Structure formats: structure tokens, C-alpha cells
Coordinates of all heavy atoms in Angstrom, one line a residue:
M27 N 0.9 -1.2 0.0 CA 0.0 0.0 0.0 C 0.9 1.2 0.1 O 1.9 1.3 0.7 CB -0.9 -0.1 1.2 CG -1.8 1.2 1.3 SD -2.8 1.1 2.9 CE -4.1 2.2 2.4
V28 N 0.6 2.2 -0.9 CA 1.2 3.4 -0.9 C 0.9 4.3 0.3 O -0.2 4.6 0.5 CB 0.9 4.2 -2.3 CG1 1.7 5.5 -2.2 CG2 1.5 3.3 -3.4
M29 N 2.0 4.7 1.0 CA 1.8 5.5 2.2 C 2.1 7.1 1.9 O 1.5 7.9 2.6 CB 2.4 5.1 3.3 CG 2.0 3.6 3.8 SD 0.2 3.5 4.2 CE 0.1 4.6 5.6
A30 N 3.0 7.2 1.0 CA 3.5 8.6 0.8 C 4.0 8.8 -0.6 O 4.3 7.8 -1.4 CB 4.6 9.0 1.7
L31 N 3.9 9.9 -1.0 CA 4.3 10.4 -2.5 C 5.7 10.0 -2.6 O 6.1 9.4 -3.6 CB 4.1 11.8 -2.7 CG 4.4 12.3 -4.1 CD1 3.5 11.6 -5.0 CD2 4.3 13.8 -4.2
S32 N 6.6 10.2 -1.6 CA 8.0 9.9 -1.8 C 8.2 8.3 -2.0 O 9.1 7.9 -2.5 CB 8.8 10.3 -0.5 OG 8.3 9.7 0.7
D33 N 7.3 7.5 -1.4 CA 7.3 6.0 -1.6 C 7.2 5.7 -3.2 O 7.7 4.7 -3.6 CB 6.0 5.3 -0.8 CG 6.3 5.4 0.6 OD1 7.4 5.6 1.0 OD2 5.3 5.1 1.2
L34 N 6.5 6.5 -3.9 CA 6.3 6.3 -5.3 C 7.3 6.8 -6.1 O 7.4 6.6 -7.4 CB 4.9 6.8 -5.7 CG 3.7 5.8 -5.4 CD1 2.5 6.6 -5.8 CD2 3.8 4.5 -6.2
M35 N 7.9 7.8 -5.7 CA 8.9 8.7 -6.5 C 10.2 8.2 -6.8 O 11.0 8.9 -7.5 CB 8.9 10.1 -6.1 CG 7.6 10.9 -6.0 SD 7.0 11.2 -7.6 CE 8.0 12.6 -8.0
W36 N 10.6 7.1 -6.3 CA 11.9 6.5 -6.7 C 11.7 6.0 -8.1 O 10.8 5.4 -8.5 CB 12.4 5.6 -5.7 CG 11.7 4.5 -5.5 CD1 10.8 4.3 -4.4 CD2 11.5 3.2 -6.1 NE1 10.1 3.1 -4.4 CE2 10.6 2.4 -5.5 CE3 12.2 2.7 -7.3 CZ2 10.3 1.1 -5.9 CZ3 11.9 1.4 -7.6 CH2 10.9 0.6 -7.0
E37 N 12.7 6.1 -9.0 CA 12.8 5.6 -10.3 C 13.4 4.2 -10.3 O 14.5 4.0 -10.0 CB 13.7 6.5 -11.1 CG 13.5 6.2 -12.7 CD 14.2 7.3 -13.5 OE1 14.3 8.4 -13.1 OE2 14.5 6.8 -14.6
P38 N 12.6 3.2 -10.6 CA 13.0 1.8 -10.6 C 14.0 1.5 -11.8 O 14.0 2.3 -12.8 CB 11.8 1.0 -10.8 CG 10.9 2.0 -11.5 CD 11.1 3.3 -11.1
D39 N 14.8 0.5 -11.6 CA 15.7 0.1 -12.7 C 14.8 -0.2 -13.9 O 13.7 -0.7 -13.7 CB 16.5 -1.1 -12.2 CG 17.4 -1.7 -13.2 OD1 17.1 -1.9 -14.4 OD2 18.5 -1.9 -12.8
E40 N 15.3 0.2 -15.0 CA 14.4 0.1 -16.2 C 14.2 -1.5 -16.7 O 13.5 -1.7 -17.6 CB 14.9 1.0 -17.3 CG 14.6 2.5 -17.0 CD 14.5 3.4 -18.1 OE1 14.3 2.9 -19.3 OE2 14.8 4.6 -17.9
G41 N 14.9 -2.3 -16.0 CA 14.8 -3.7 -16.3 C 13.3 -4.2 -16.2 O 13.0 -5.2 -16.9
W42 N 12.5 -3.4 -15.6 CA 11.1 -3.9 -15.5 C 10.4 -3.9 -16.9 O 9.4 -4.8 -17.1 CB 10.3 -2.8 -14.6 CG 10.3 -1.5 -15.0 CD1 11.2 -0.5 -14.6 CD2 9.3 -0.8 -16.0 NE1 10.9 0.7 -15.2 CE2 9.8 0.6 -16.0 CE3 8.2 -1.2 -16.6 CZ2 9.1 1.4 -16.8 CZ3 7.5 -0.3 -17.4 CH2 8.0 1.0 -17.4
R43 N 10.9 -3.0 -17.8 CA 10.2 -3.0 -19.1 C 10.4 -4.4 -19.9 O 9.6 -4.7 -20.7 CB 11.0 -2.0 -20.0 CG 10.9 -0.5 -19.5 CD 11.7 0.4 -20.3 NE 11.6 1.7 -20.0 CZ 10.7 2.7 -20.3 NH1 9.9 2.3 -21.3 NH2 10.7 4.0 -19.9
D44 N 11.3 -5.2 -19.5 CA 11.5 -6.6 -20.1 C 10.4 -7.5 -20.0 O 10.0 -8.4 -20.6 CB 12.8 -7.3 -19.6 CG 14.0 -6.5 -20.0 OD1 14.0 -5.7 -20.9 OD2 15.1 -6.8 -19.4
D45 N 9.6 -7.2 -18.7 CA 8.5 -8.1 -18.4 C 7.1 -7.3 -18.6 O 6.1 -7.9 -18.2 CB 8.6 -8.5 -16.9 CG 9.8 -9.3 -16.6 OD1 10.2 -10.1 -17.5 OD2 10.5 -9.1 -15.6
A46 N 7.1 -6.3 -19.3 CA 6.0 -5.5 -19.5 C 4.9 -6.2 -20.4 O 5.3 -6.9 -21.4 CB 6.3 -4.2 -20.2
A47 N 3.7 -6.3 -20.0 CA 2.6 -7.0 -20.7 C 2.4 -6.3 -21.9 O 1.7 -6.8 -22.8 CB 1.4 -7.2 -19.8
C48 N 2.7 -4.9 -22.1 CA 2.4 -4.2 -23.3 C 3.4 -4.4 -24.4 O 3.1 -3.8 -25.5 CB 2.2 -2.8 -22.8 SG 3.5 -2.1 -22.1
V49 N 4.6 -4.9 -24.1 CA 5.5 -5.2 -25.2 C 4.9 -5.9 -26.4 O 4.1 -6.9 -26.3 CB 6.6 -6.2 -24.7 CG1 7.6 -6.5 -25.9 CG2 7.5 -5.3 -23.6
G50 N 5.0 -5.3 -27.5 CA 4.4 -5.8 -28.8 C 3.0 -5.4 -29.1 O 2.5 -5.7 -30.2
T51 N 2.3 -4.6 -28.2 CA 1.0 -4.1 -28.3 C 1.3 -2.9 -29.1 O 2.2 -2.2 -29.2 CB 0.3 -4.0 -27.1 OG1 0.8 -3.1 -26.4 CG2 0.0 -5.3 -26.4
D52 N 0.0 -2.4 -29.6 CA -0.1 -1.1 -30.5 C 0.2 0.1 -29.4 O -0.7 0.2 -28.5 CB -1.5 -1.0 -31.0 CG -1.6 0.3 -31.8 OD1 -0.6 1.0 -31.8 OD2 -2.6 0.4 -32.5
A53 N 1.2 0.8 -29.4 CA 1.4 2.0 -28.6 C 0.4 3.0 -28.6 O 0.1 3.6 -27.4 CB 2.7 2.5 -29.0
D54 N -0.4 3.1 -29.7 CA -1.5 4.0 -29.7 C -2.6 3.7 -28.6 O -3.3 4.4 -28.2 CB -2.2 4.1 -31.1 CG -1.3 4.7 -32.1 OD1 -0.3 5.4 -31.7 OD2 -1.7 4.6 -33.3
L55 N -2.6 2.5 -28.3 CA -3.6 2.0 -27.3 C -3.3 2.6 -25.9 O -4.2 3.0 -25.2 CB -3.4 0.4 -27.2 CG -4.4 -0.3 -26.3 CD1 -5.9 -0.2 -27.2 CD2 -4.0 -1.9 -26.1
F56 N -2.0 2.9 -25.7 CA -1.6 3.3 -24.4 C -1.5 5.0 -24.4 O -1.4 5.5 -23.4 CB -0.3 2.8 -23.9 CG -0.6 1.3 -23.6 CD1 -0.4 0.4 -24.4 CD2 -0.6 1.0 -22.2 CE1 -0.6 -1.0 -24.1 CE2 -0.9 -0.3 -21.9 CZ -0.9 -1.3 -22.9
F57 N -1.8 5.5 -25.5 CA -1.6 7.0 -25.7 C -3.0 7.3 -26.6 O -2.9 7.9 -27.7 CB -0.5 7.5 -26.3 CG 0.8 7.2 -25.4 CD1 1.5 6.0 -25.5 CD2 1.1 8.2 -24.5 CE1 2.6 5.9 -24.6 CE2 2.2 8.0 -23.6 CZ 2.9 6.8 -23.7
P58 N -4.2 7.0 -26.0 CA -5.4 7.3 -26.8 C -5.5 8.8 -26.9 O -5.1 9.6 -26.0 CB -6.4 6.7 -25.9 CG -5.9 6.6 -24.5 CD -4.5 6.5 -24.8
V59 N -6.4 9.1 -27.9 CA -6.7 10.6 -28.1 C -7.6 10.8 -27.0 O -8.8 10.2 -26.9 CB -7.4 11.0 -29.6 CG1 -7.7 12.4 -29.6 CG2 -6.1 10.5 -30.5
G60 N -7.4 11.9 -26.3 CA -8.3 12.1 -25.1 C -7.9 11.1 -24.0 O -7.5 10.0 -24.3
E61 N -8.1 11.4 -22.7 CA -7.7 10.4 -21.8 C -9.0 10.0 -20.9 O -8.9 9.8 -19.7 CB -6.7 10.9 -20.8 CG -5.4 11.2 -21.6 CD -4.2 10.8 -20.9 OE1 -4.0 9.7 -20.3 OE2 -3.3 11.6 -20.9
D62 N -10.2 9.9 -21.6 CA -11.2 9.6 -20.9 C -11.2 8.0 -20.5 O -10.5 7.4 -21.1 CB -12.6 9.9 -21.6 CG -12.7 9.2 -23.0 OD1 -13.0 8.0 -23.0 OD2 -12.3 9.8 -23.9
E63 N -12.1 7.6 -19.6 CA -12.1 6.2 -19.2 C -12.2 5.3 -20.3 O -11.6 4.2 -20.4 CB -13.0 6.1 -18.1 CG -12.6 6.4 -16.8 CD -11.5 5.6 -16.3 OE1 -11.4 4.4 -16.4 OE2 -10.4 6.2 -15.9
E64 N -13.2 5.6 -21.3 CA -13.5 4.7 -22.3 C -12.4 4.5 -23.2 O -12.0 3.4 -23.7 CB -14.6 5.2 -23.1 CG -15.3 4.3 -24.0 CD -16.6 4.8 -24.7 OE1 -17.3 5.6 -24.0 OE2 -16.8 4.4 -25.8
A65 N -11.6 5.6 -23.6 CA -10.5 5.5 -24.4 C -9.4 4.7 -23.9 O -8.6 4.0 -24.4 CB -10.0 6.9 -24.9
A66 N -9.3 4.7 -22.5 CA -8.2 4.3 -21.7 C -8.5 2.7 -21.4 O -7.5 2.0 -20.9 CB -7.8 4.9 -20.6
A67 N -9.6 2.3 -21.6 CA -10.1 1.0 -21.0 C -9.4 -0.2 -21.6 O -8.9 -1.1 -20.8 CB -11.7 0.8 -21.3
A68 N -9.0 -0.1 -22.7 CA -8.4 -1.2 -23.4 C -6.9 -1.4 -22.9 O -6.4 -2.5 -22.6 CB -8.3 -1.2 -24.9
A69 N -6.2 -0.2 -22.7 CA -4.9 -0.3 -22.2 C -4.9 -0.8 -20.8 O -4.2 -1.6 -20.3 CB -4.3 1.1 -22.2
K70 N -5.9 -0.2 -20.0 CA -6.0 -0.6 -18.6 C -6.2 -2.1 -18.4 O -5.7 -2.7 -17.5 CB -7.1 0.0 -17.9 CG -6.8 1.6 -17.6 CD -8.0 2.3 -17.0 CE -7.6 3.7 -16.3 NZ -8.5 4.2 -15.5
A71 N -7.0 -2.6 -19.4 CA -7.1 -4.2 -19.3 C -5.8 -4.9 -19.5 O -5.6 -5.9 -18.8 CB -8.1 -4.6 -20.4
V72 N -4.9 -4.4 -20.2 CA -3.6 -5.0 -20.4 C -2.8 -4.9 -19.1 O -2.2 -5.8 -18.6 CB -2.8 -4.5 -21.6 CG1 -1.4 -4.9 -21.7 CG2 -3.6 -4.8 -22.9
C73 N -2.8 -3.6 -18.6 CA -2.1 -3.2 -17.3 C -2.6 -4.3 -16.1 O -1.8 -4.5 -15.3 CB -2.4 -1.8 -16.9 SG -1.6 -0.7 -18.2
E74 N -3.9 -4.5 -16.2 CA -4.5 -5.2 -15.0 C -3.7 -6.4 -14.7 O -3.5 -6.9 -13.7 CB -6.0 -5.6 -15.4 CG -6.7 -6.2 -14.2 CD -7.0 -5.1 -13.2 OE1 -7.2 -3.9 -13.6 OE2 -7.2 -5.5 -12.1
A75 N -3.3 -7.3 -15.7 CA -2.5 -8.4 -15.6 C -1.0 -8.2 -15.8 O -0.3 -9.2 -15.8 CB -3.1 -9.4 -16.7
C76 N -0.5 -7.2 -15.7 CA 0.9 -6.9 -16.0 C 1.6 -7.2 -14.7 O 1.4 -6.5 -13.5 CB 1.2 -5.4 -16.5 SG 2.9 -5.1 -16.8
P77 N 2.8 -7.9 -14.7 CA 3.5 -8.3 -13.5 C 4.4 -7.1 -13.0 O 4.9 -7.1 -12.0 CB 4.4 -9.4 -14.1 CG 4.6 -9.2 -15.5 CD 3.2 -8.6 -16.0
V78 N 4.6 -6.0 -13.8 CA 5.5 -5.0 -13.5 C 4.7 -3.6 -13.4 O 5.2 -2.6 -13.7 CB 6.6 -4.7 -14.6 CG1 7.5 -5.9 -14.4 CG2 6.1 -4.6 -15.8
R79 N 3.4 -3.9 -13.0 CA 2.6 -2.6 -12.9 C 3.1 -1.5 -12.0 O 2.9 -0.4 -12.3 CB 1.2 -3.1 -12.7 CG 0.1 -2.1 -12.7 CD -1.3 -2.6 -12.4 NE -2.2 -1.6 -12.2 CZ -3.5 -1.7 -12.1 NH1 -4.0 -3.0 -12.0 NH2 -4.3 -0.8 -12.0
E80 N 3.5 -2.0 -10.8 CA 3.8 -1.1 -9.8 C 5.2 -0.3 -10.2 O 5.3 0.8 -10.1 CB 4.1 -1.7 -8.5 CG 4.4 -0.7 -7.4 CD 4.7 -1.4 -6.0 OE1 3.9 -2.4 -5.7 OE2 5.4 -0.8 -5.3
A81 N 6.1 -1.0 -10.8 CA 7.3 -0.4 -11.3 C 7.0 0.5 -12.3 O 7.7 1.7 -12.4 CB 8.4 -1.5 -11.8
C82 N 6.0 0.3 -13.3 CA 5.7 1.1 -14.2 C 5.1 2.4 -13.7 O 5.5 3.5 -14.2 CB 4.7 0.4 -15.2 SG 4.1 1.3 -16.6
L83 N 4.2 2.2 -12.8 CA 3.6 3.4 -12.2 C 4.6 4.2 -11.5 O 4.7 5.5 -11.7 CB 2.6 3.0 -11.2 CG 1.8 4.1 -10.4 CD1 1.2 5.2 -11.4 CD2 0.8 3.5 -9.5
R84 N 5.6 3.7 -10.8 CA 6.7 4.5 -10.1 C 7.4 5.2 -11.2 O 7.9 6.4 -10.9 CB 7.7 3.5 -9.3 CG 6.9 2.9 -8.1 CD 7.9 1.9 -7.4 NE 7.3 1.3 -6.3 CZ 7.2 1.7 -4.9 NH1 7.8 3.0 -4.8 NH2 6.7 1.1 -4.1
Y85 N 7.9 4.5 -12.1 CA 8.6 5.2 -13.4 C 7.9 6.4 -13.8 O 8.4 7.6 -14.0 CB 8.9 4.2 -14.4 CG 9.7 4.8 -15.6 CD1 10.9 4.9 -15.5 CD2 8.9 5.3 -16.7 CE1 11.8 5.6 -16.5 CE2 9.6 6.0 -17.6 CZ 11.0 6.1 -17.6 OH 11.7 6.7 -18.5
A86 N 6.6 6.3 -14.1 CA 5.8 7.4 -14.6 C 5.7 8.5 -13.6 O 5.8 9.7 -14.1 CB 4.4 6.9 -14.9
L87 N 5.6 8.2 -12.5 CA 5.6 9.3 -11.4 C 6.9 10.0 -11.2 O 7.0 11.1 -11.2 CB 5.1 8.8 -10.0 CG 3.5 8.5 -10.1 CD1 3.2 7.6 -8.8 CD2 2.6 9.6 -10.2
A88 N 7.9 9.2 -11.2 CA 9.2 9.6 -10.9 C 9.8 10.5 -12.1 O 10.6 11.4 -12.1 CB 10.3 8.5 -10.8
T89 N 9.4 10.2 -13.3 CA 9.8 10.9 -14.5 C 8.7 11.7 -15.1 O 8.9 12.3 -16.2 CB 10.2 9.8 -15.6 OG1 9.2 9.0 -16.0 CG2 11.3 8.9 -15.1
N90 N 7.7 12.1 -14.3 CA 6.6 12.9 -14.6 C 6.1 12.8 -16.0 O 5.9 13.8 -16.7 CB 7.2 14.3 -14.3 CG 6.1 15.3 -14.2 OD1 5.0 15.0 -13.7 ND2 6.3 16.6 -14.5
Q91 N 5.7 11.6 -16.2 CA 4.9 11.2 -17.4 C 3.5 11.9 -17.4 O 2.7 11.3 -16.5 CB 4.8 9.7 -17.8 CG 6.3 9.2 -17.9 CD 7.1 9.6 -19.0 OE1 6.5 9.7 -20.0 NE2 8.4 9.8 -18.8
T92 N 3.2 12.8 -18.2 CA 2.0 13.3 -18.0 C 0.8 12.8 -19.1 O -0.2 13.0 -18.7 CB 1.9 15.0 -18.4 OG1 2.4 15.1 -19.6 CG2 2.8 15.6 -17.2
E93 N 1.3 12.1 -20.0 CA 0.4 11.5 -20.9 C 0.4 10.0 -21.0 O 1.5 9.5 -20.5 CB 0.8 12.0 -22.4 CG 1.0 13.4 -22.6 CD -0.4 14.2 -22.5 OE1 -1.4 13.6 -22.9 OE2 -0.4 15.3 -22.0
G94 N -0.7 9.5 -21.4 CA -0.7 8.1 -21.6 C -1.1 7.2 -20.4 O -1.1 7.8 -19.3
V95 N -1.3 6.0 -20.5 CA -1.7 5.1 -19.5 C -0.3 4.5 -19.1 O 0.4 3.7 -19.8 CB -2.6 4.0 -19.9 CG1 -2.9 3.0 -18.9 CG2 -4.0 4.7 -20.3
W96 N 0.0 4.6 -17.9 CA 1.3 3.9 -17.2 C 0.7 3.4 -16.0 O 0.0 4.0 -15.1 CB 2.3 4.9 -16.9 CG 2.8 5.7 -18.2 CD1 2.4 6.7 -18.8 CD2 4.3 5.4 -18.6 NE1 3.2 7.0 -19.8 CE2 4.3 6.2 -19.6 CE3 5.3 4.5 -18.4 CZ2 5.5 6.4 -20.5 CZ3 6.4 4.6 -19.0 CH2 6.6 5.4 -20.1
G97 N 1.1 2.1 -15.7 CA 0.8 1.4 -14.4 C -0.6 1.2 -14.3 O -1.1 1.3 -13.0
G98 N -1.4 1.3 -15.3 CA -2.8 1.2 -15.1 C -3.6 2.4 -14.9 O -4.8 2.4 -14.6
M99 N -2.9 3.6 -14.9 CA -3.5 4.8 -14.6 C -3.2 5.8 -15.7 O -2.2 6.0 -16.3 CB -2.9 5.4 -13.2 CG -3.1 4.6 -12.1 SD -2.5 5.4 -10.6 CE -4.0 6.4 -10.3
T100 N -4.3 6.6 -16.1 CA -4.2 7.7 -17.0 C -3.4 8.9 -16.4 O -3.3 9.0 -15.1 CB -5.6 8.2 -17.4 OG1 -6.3 8.8 -16.3 CG2 -6.4 7.0 -18.1
G101 N -3.2 9.8 -17.3 CA -2.5 11.1 -16.8 C -3.2 11.8 -15.7 O -2.7 12.1 -14.6
P102 N -4.6 12.0 -16.0 CA -5.4 12.7 -14.9 C -5.4 11.8 -13.6 O -5.5 12.4 -12.6 CB -6.8 12.8 -15.6 CG -6.4 12.8 -17.0 CD -5.2 11.8 -17.3
E103 N -5.4 10.6 -13.8 CA -5.5 9.8 -12.5 C -4.2 9.8 -11.7 O -4.3 9.8 -10.5 CB -5.9 8.2 -12.9 CG -7.3 8.1 -13.3 CD -7.5 6.6 -13.8 OE1 -6.5 6.0 -14.4 OE2 -8.6 6.2 -13.8
R104 N -3.1 9.9 -12.5 CA -1.8 10.0 -11.7 C -1.8 11.3 -11.1 O -1.2 11.5 -10.1 CB -0.6 9.8 -12.7 CG -0.5 8.3 -13.2 CD 0.7 8.1 -13.8 NE 1.0 9.0 -15.1 CZ 0.4 8.6 -16.3 NH1 -0.3 7.6 -16.5 NH2 0.8 9.5 -17.3
R105 N -2.3 12.4 -11.7 CA -2.4 13.7 -11.1 C -3.2 13.7 -9.9 O -2.8 14.3 -8.8 CB -2.8 14.8 -12.1 CG -1.9 15.1 -13.2 CD -2.2 16.4 -13.9 NE -3.2 16.2 -14.8 CZ -3.2 15.6 -16.1 NH1 -2.0 15.3 -16.5 NH2 -4.2 15.4 -16.8
R106 N -4.3 13.0 -10.0 CA -5.2 13.0 -8.8 C -4.4 12.1 -7.6 O -4.4 12.6 -6.4 CB -6.5 12.4 -9.1 CG -7.4 13.3 -9.7 CD -8.9 12.9 -9.9 NE -9.0 11.6 -10.6 CZ -9.3 11.5 -11.9 NH1 -9.2 12.7 -12.6 NH2 -9.4 10.4 -12.6
L107 N -3.7 11.1 -8.0 CA -3.0 10.4 -7.0 C -1.9 11.2 -6.3 O -1.8 11.3 -5.1 CB -2.4 9.1 -7.7 CG -1.4 8.3 -6.8 CD1 -2.2 7.8 -5.6 CD2 -0.7 7.2 -7.6
R108 N -1.2 12.1 -7.2 CA -0.1 13.0 -6.5 C -0.8 13.9 -5.5 O -0.3 14.1 -4.6 CB 0.5 13.6 -7.7 CG 1.5 13.1 -8.4 CD 2.1 14.1 -9.5 NE 2.9 13.4 -10.4 CZ 4.2 13.3 -10.3 NH1 4.8 13.9 -9.2 NH2 4.9 12.7 -11.3
R109 N -1.9 14.5 -6.0 CA -2.6 15.5 -5.2 C -3.1 14.9 -3.9 O -2.9 15.5 -2.8 CB -3.8 16.1 -5.9 CG -3.6 17.2 -6.8 CD -4.7 18.1 -7.1 NE -5.7 17.4 -7.7 CZ -5.8 17.2 -9.0 NH1 -5.0 17.7 -9.8 NH2 -6.8 16.4 -9.6
R110 N -3.7 13.6 -3.8 CA -4.2 13.0 -2.6 C -2.9 12.7 -1.7 O -3.1 12.9 -0.6 CB -4.9 11.6 -3.0 CG -6.1 11.9 -3.5 CD -7.1 10.5 -3.5 NE -6.3 9.3 -4.0 CZ -6.4 8.9 -5.5 NH1 -7.2 9.7 -6.1 NH2 -5.8 7.9 -5.8
L111 N -1.8 12.2 -2.3 CA -0.6 11.9 -1.5 C -0.1 13.1 -0.9 O 0.4 13.2 0.3 CB 0.4 11.0 -2.3 CG -0.2 9.7 -2.6 CD1 0.8 9.0 -3.6 CD2 -0.3 8.8 -1.5
R112 N 0.0 14.1 -1.7 CA 0.6 15.5 -1.2 C -0.4 16.0 0.0 O 0.3 16.5 0.9 CB 0.6 16.6 -2.2 CG 1.9 16.4 -3.2 CD 2.2 17.6 -4.0 NE 3.1 17.4 -5.0 CZ 2.8 17.3 -6.3 NH1 1.6 17.6 -6.6 NH2 3.7 17.1 -7.2
E113 N -1.6 15.9 -0.2 CA -2.5 16.3 0.8 C -2.4 15.6 2.0 O -2.5 16.1 3.1 CB -3.9 16.2 0.3 CG -5.1 16.8 1.1 CD -4.9 18.2 1.5 OE1 -4.3 19.0 0.8 OE2 -5.4 18.7 2.6
R114 N -2.3 14.3 1.9 CA -2.0 13.3 3.1 C -0.7 13.8 3.8 O -0.7 13.9 5.0 CB -2.0 11.9 2.7 CG -1.9 10.9 3.8 CD -1.6 9.5 3.3 NE -2.8 9.1 2.5 CZ -2.6 7.9 1.8 NH1 -1.6 7.1 1.9 NH2 -3.6 7.4 1.1
E115 N 0.2 13.9 3.0 CA 1.5 14.2 3.7 C 1.4 15.7 4.3 O 1.9 15.9 5.5 CB 2.7 14.4 2.6 CG 3.1 13.0 2.3 CD 4.0 12.9 1.1 OE1 4.4 14.1 0.6 OE2 4.4 11.8 0.7
R116 N 0.6 16.6 3.7 CA 0.6 17.9 4.2 C -0.2 18.0 5.7 O 0.2 18.5 6.6 CB -0.2 19.0 3.4 CG -0.3 20.4 3.8 CD -1.0 21.2 2.8 NE -2.5 20.8 2.9 CZ -3.3 21.0 3.8 NH1 -3.0 21.7 4.9 NH2 -4.6 20.7 3.6
R117 N -1.2 17.0 5.6 CA -2.0 16.9 6.8 C -1.3 16.2 8.0 O -1.4 16.6 9.2 CB -3.3 16.1 6.6 CG -4.5 17.0 6.1 CD -5.8 16.2 6.2 NE -6.4 16.4 4.9 CZ -6.8 15.3 4.2 NH1 -6.5 14.1 4.6 NH2 -7.2 15.5 2.9
A118 N -0.3 15.3 7.5 CA 0.4 14.6 8.5 C 1.6 15.3 9.1 O 2.0 15.1 10.3 CB 1.0 13.2 7.9
S119 N 2.1 16.4 8.4 CA 3.1 17.3 8.9 C 2.7 18.4 9.8 O 1.6 18.7 10.1 CB 3.9 17.8 7.7 OG 3.2 18.7 7.0
Ligands
LIG26 S1 1.6 -1.5 -16.3 FE1 0.6 -1.3 -18.3 S2 1.8 0.3 -19.5 FE2 2.9 -0.4 -17.6 S3 4.3 -1.9 -18.5 FE3 2.5 -3.0 -17.6 S4 1.0 -3.2 -19.4 FE4 2.7 -1.6 -20.0

């Protein structure tokens, strides 16, 4: 379970890419036009079963990927996650 933004912000070794479930899939699937839920659903279905989902999400957060589906989350979802974690940290300090 993610407890703090700093828990997510380390950049994992890029070796995780070797086990990515999306290797060989259409990259456009992961960068749909518009980032609404419907457009991202197919990519999220691939991420759901991906063995490196957490590393992928960490990478996206650590490298500030604003577009596309990474770690099963769209850009807007990752922004909301950051906000929630920052708010949690602010309240805890
Ligand atoms: S979590 Fe999704 S985008 Fe990330 S490597 Fe896995 S399948 Fe690809």
C-alpha cells in the first residue's frame, strides 16, 4: 500500500520493461486521443494483468509522465494520486 508520495517517486531500474505486458502491443492503445475512461479501458485491461505494474507506475511518477496510460492509470488519474498523497503528507506534517 502506498503511504506517501516519496514512496512512489523513486525511479526503478528500467529492467522492469523486459516483463511489460504491453510489449508488442499497439502503442496508440496506451496513448489514446483524449484520456477519458472509455479510451483508456483497453490499455488498462492489459495493465491489469501486468507483472510490473507497480514499477511502471513508479517510473511514470518519478519521470513525470503526463500523457498516456502507465501502471494502469491515465495522466489525470496520476495527477489526482499525486494530489491525494501530497494532501495526506501535508495533513500529517
Ligand atoms: S503496467 Fe501497463 S503500461 Fe505499464 S508496463 Fe505494464 S502493461 Fe505496460
Side-chain angles (χ1 to χ4, degrees):
M27 178 180 203
V28 176
M29 297 303 293
L31 187 57
S32 57
D33 290 342
L34 278 175
M35 292 294 287
W36 57 266
E37 190 171 335
D39 182 307
E40 291 203 24
W42 60 270
R43 291 175 186 267
D44 296 342
D45 297 319
C48 54
V49 170
T51 62
D52 182 356
D54 289 347
L55 194 67
F56 290 83
F57 291 90
V59 177
E61 295 220 45
D62 61 80
E63 276 300 309
E64 195 174 323
K70 286 182 167 191
V72 177
C73 296
E74 191 72 32
C76 181
V78 293
R79 185 175 174 179
E80 184 178 328
C82 178
L83 179 58
R84 287 178 186 276
Y85 178 83
L87 290 167
T89 58
N90 201 27
Q91 301 295 322
T92 58
E93 305 294 325
V95 175
W96 294 77
M99 299 182 85
T100 62
E103 288 171 332
R104 291 191 301 276
R105 285 192 287 281
R106 286 194 291 274
L107 174 61
R108 279 177 192 271
R109 274 198 301 273
R110 280 197 309 273
L111 294 172
R112 280 197 193 108
E113 180 64 22
R114 183 188 300 171
E115 287 176 355
R116 189 185 64 74
R117 276 196 231 117
S119 62

